[in-house]
Amino acid sequence: MPELPEVETTRRGIEPHVTGHSVRHVTIRQPQLRWPVSPEISSLLPGQRIDVVRRRGKYLLFDTQAGTMLVHLGMSGSLRVLTAPTVALPHDHVDFGMEGGLVLRFNDPRRFGSILWAGLTPQTHPLLNSMGPEPLSPSFTGAYLYDRSRSRKVPVKHFLMDSAVVPGVGNIYANEALHEAGIHPLRAAGRVSLARYEKLVMAVQEVLGKAIAMGGTTLRDFVGSDGKPGYFRQSLNVYGRAGEPCRRCGRPLKEIRSGQRSTVYCGECQR
DNA sequence: ATGCGGACCTGTTAGC
DNA sequence: TGCTAACAGGTCCGCA
């Protein structure tokens, strides 16, 4: 699912429709998500005005005066804005009925997503308090990655996908950024130079930024808040292109499994 | 502290 | 054509 660009695409799509509006009612058809939907979503949220919709890593944060709701889209989740009443389809687990009649609908076939209440200090919530810096923020630098990776033996791809290091970089964009930066995905994180980490940071920011501009990547079923897919898939250079020619050197891209995740790279361009 | 594998759940696709 | 296994955008947790 949703990596950071898809979550940001969702945030941008729903934000103008919910900011400043109150939640009128919440309908929970299936409370069993990754964790049970927090009871406060039913007891505290109705009547509250959404002051702002923020994003931290892959979490969406809905701030109200009573506290903050966290929404994670997991592998297959989506949040859509419905302007007209619609019959609930399978996997339409939660509806947020807004003042004015608009409905925010959470759909998630695999139910790896979550909807949790984080209280008034969401930054201290266990799921958020050990997250690394936002990848698109100024504090995400080559020096930061270099410092944090010393003595780390995990493959640099795993390191980059660790939300305690930097949140939001999932399997697709880790593959893409490492190719862009010319770094072999299996190289030990602690054996990547400062200069190459600086290159990696630029690659991550470029890939994420372009993907956001194109509405994210739809492989199978991601849709934005308007129900439309993202168009970054056509810009992917390695993910899903195993065996096809590297766009830089022309040699066939290799695919391996690393940590049960599909890893695609160019044996020539990435060292 | 770090690293690894399993767990959660459903739907689609590849292979026999 | 039909059944089964593998795989899919995430990431937490327990154990070594």
Side-chain angles (χ1 to χ4, degrees):
Chain A
M1 118 45 169
E3 297 188 32
L4 186 149
E6 293 75 44
V7 177
E8 178 62 19
T9 294
T10 299
R11 192 197 68 76
R12 291 183 183 185
I14 63 181
E15 188 265 325
H17 297 285
V18 302
T19 297
H21 296 270
S22 295
V23 178
R24 187 187 283 163
H25 57 85
V26 177
T27 302
I28 301 175
R29 301 183 190 84
Q30 171 56 278
Q32 300 302 322
L33 303 181
R34 168 144 199 196
W35 295 285
V37 174
S38 298
E40 291 89 343
I41 302 301
S42 301
S43 63
L44 289 183
L45 184 62
Q48 291 296 318
R49 187 184 69 231
I50 306 296
D51 292 325
V52 62
V53 183
R54 297 182 287 149
R55 180 188 56 72
R56 180 78 174 97
K58 297 176 192 170
Y59 286 89
L60 290 169
L61 286 70
F62 295 75
D63 289 338
T64 77
Q65 292 299 300
T68 293
M69 174 173 71
L70 302 183
V71 175
H72 195 291
L73 300 178
M75 287 278 269
S76 58
S78 64
L79 266 181
R80 293 183 57 180
V81 172
L82 306 178
T83 51
T86 313
V87 177
L89 297 174
H91 313 303
D92 282 341
H93 303 315
V94 180
D95 279 0
F96 302 94
M98 305 300 295
E99 165 192 43
L102 185 148
V103 173
L104 196 58
R105 177 167 285 177
F106 177 83
N107 176 288
D108 184 10
R110 291 183 70 180
R111 286 193 271 136
F112 284 175
S114 46
I115 300 179
L116 300 171
W117 191 255
L120 292 167
T121 55
Q123 66 279 6
T124 65
H125 190 280
L127 292 170
L128 301 181
N129 69 7
S130 60
M131 252 183 206
E134 279 296 310
L136 296 175
S137 75
S139 48
F140 180 57
T141 65
Y144 165 77
L145 285 182
Y146 181 79
D147 289 344
R148 286 212 57 167
S149 62
R150 292 312 87 184
S151 82
R152 292 295 302 273
K153 294 174 182 172
V154 285
V156 63
K157 178 165 175 261
H158 288 20
F159 179 70
L160 188 60
M161 290 174 66
D162 181 350
S163 66
V165 174
V166 58
V169 184
N171 198 37
I172 296 178
Y173 299 108
N175 278 305
E176 295 299 317
L178 288 166
H179 180 260
E180 177 70 26
I183 300 171
H184 196 292
L186 295 186
R187 174 174 285 272
R191 298 191 56 190
V192 174
S193 69
L194 173 58
R196 302 184 83 205
Y197 270 129
E198 287 174 342
K199 209 170 174 181
L200 181 58
V201 164
M202 287 191 289
V204 166
Q205 295 183 335
E206 179 187 325
V207 168
L208 294 181
K210 285 184 177 175
I212 291 170
M214 296 180 75
T217 299
T218 295
L219 292 179
R220 167 172 299 145
D221 53 15
F222 170 75
V223 291
S225 61
D226 54 3
K228 294 178 182 167
Y231 296 100
F232 192 68
R233 183 176 187 176
Q234 61 204 59
S235 301
L236 297 176
N237 286 324
V238 289
Y239 189 88
R241 295 192 64 242
E244 294 177 46
C246 170
R247 293 199 168 114
R248 183 176 298 143
C249 76
R251 299 185 191 224
L253 296 172
K254 297 179 180 179
E255 176 164 26
I256 55 173
R257 303 203 70 74
S258 174
Q260 288 133 23
R261 310 304 295 276
S262 167
T263 300
V264 189
Y265 66 101
C266 175
E268 184 70 16
C269 298
Q270 295 174 252
R271 298 301 172 94

